[in-house]
Amino acid sequence: MDRFILLMLAGILAGFALLKVPLAGTFLKSLEPITTVIGLLAIVLFSVVLIFNGVMALLGK
């Protein structure tokens, strides 16, 4: 179970990394809105999974 939690935390960190990646001045500048959306979705999705697993653990299921 610990590996699963660490994997979810790594997904959240990857989402933050996508938000902070500097694309200005490169040919990838046009992809910046896409990386922002993917980063936000990763953060929200992995956070919801962690919260759900925490609630389920508290309830004993």
Side-chain angles (χ1 to χ4, degrees), residues 1-53:
M1 188 65 172
D2 290 331
R3 286 182 178 239
F4 181 73
I5 292 172
L6 290 176
L7 183 63
M8 294 296 115
L9 289 175
I12 293 170
L13 287 176
F16 278 113
L18 276 175
L19 287 179
K20 293 294 185 178
V21 66
L23 296 177
T26 66
F27 67 96
L28 297 174
K29 176 68 174 158
S30 63
L31 296 178
E32 191 168 13
I34 296 171
T35 59
T36 302
V37 169
I38 292 172
L40 287 173
L41 286 175
I43 294 168
V44 170
L45 177 71
F46 290 124
S47 296
V48 167
V49 170
L50 277 178
I51 291 169
F52 178 75
N53 284 335

